Amino acid sequence: MIKSTITRVAMVGAAAAALAVSMAAPAQAASDKTISLPNGRGYMKFIDDGDVFQVCDTKADGYGVSGTLFVRNASGLVSVATTVDDGGDAGCDKKGYNIGQLASYQMRVCWNGGGCVSSEWFNE
């Protein structure tokens, strides 16, 4: 009798813990993602196949576009993983950066004349 009561209590506790973990807001799973600046100034894109980050300056206004990839580790520490700049030349600039499941990532694209847009946090 006591053994079955302890087993039931343990099972209820495990189920409650699993529910709490599943209710926490996880980082969004990776797939191709694009964030765009207003007024058609440019964008930053994550290409999941190959883990490539692409930044495109799409307006010839004398200002470039800069992209930053931030990484947040399990303890919450945020740092810059890589940067990509585009402007003053034809085409977009790209950089590979291998993202994984042990951290969360956020893209931020900025028009060098002022103004930025950020993505949600994500991982693979």
Side-chain angles (χ1 to χ4, degrees):
M1 176 93 177
I2 292 176
K3 186 176 182 180
S4 64
T5 303
I6 292 173
T7 302
R8 274 190 245 128
V9 169
M11 290 176 65
V12 169
L19 180 62
V21 169
S22 68
M23 290 178 60
Q28 188 176 11
S31 62
D32 290 0
K33 299 183 180 315
T34 303
I35 54 174
S36 299
L37 291 163
N39 302 314
R41 290 192 166 106
Y43 62 90
M44 183 173 185
K45 181 176 185 175
F46 168 64
I47 303 163
D48 189 27
D49 184 16
D51 288 357
V52 174
F53 292 87
Q54 178 180 29
V55 173
C56 298
D57 180 0
T58 55
K59 197 168 205 171
D61 57 8
Y63 296 98
V65 174
S66 301
T68 304
L69 178 67
F70 294 95
V71 60
R72 180 176 63 193
N73 67 18
S75 64
L77 180 65
V78 175
S79 59
V80 173
T82 191
T83 60
V84 185
D85 296 314
D86 187 45
D89 61 354
C92 303
D93 288 353
K94 297 178 183 179
K95 187 181 280 188
Y97 185 87
N98 187 27
I99 68 168
Q101 296 178 348
L102 300 179
S104 296
Y105 300 87
Q106 182 184 56
M107 298 186 301
R108 180 176 299 153
V109 62
C110 298
W111 176 56
N112 295 340
C116 297
V117 174
S118 297
S119 73
E120 296 179 352
W121 288 95
F122 64 95
N123 65 12
E124 279 191 319

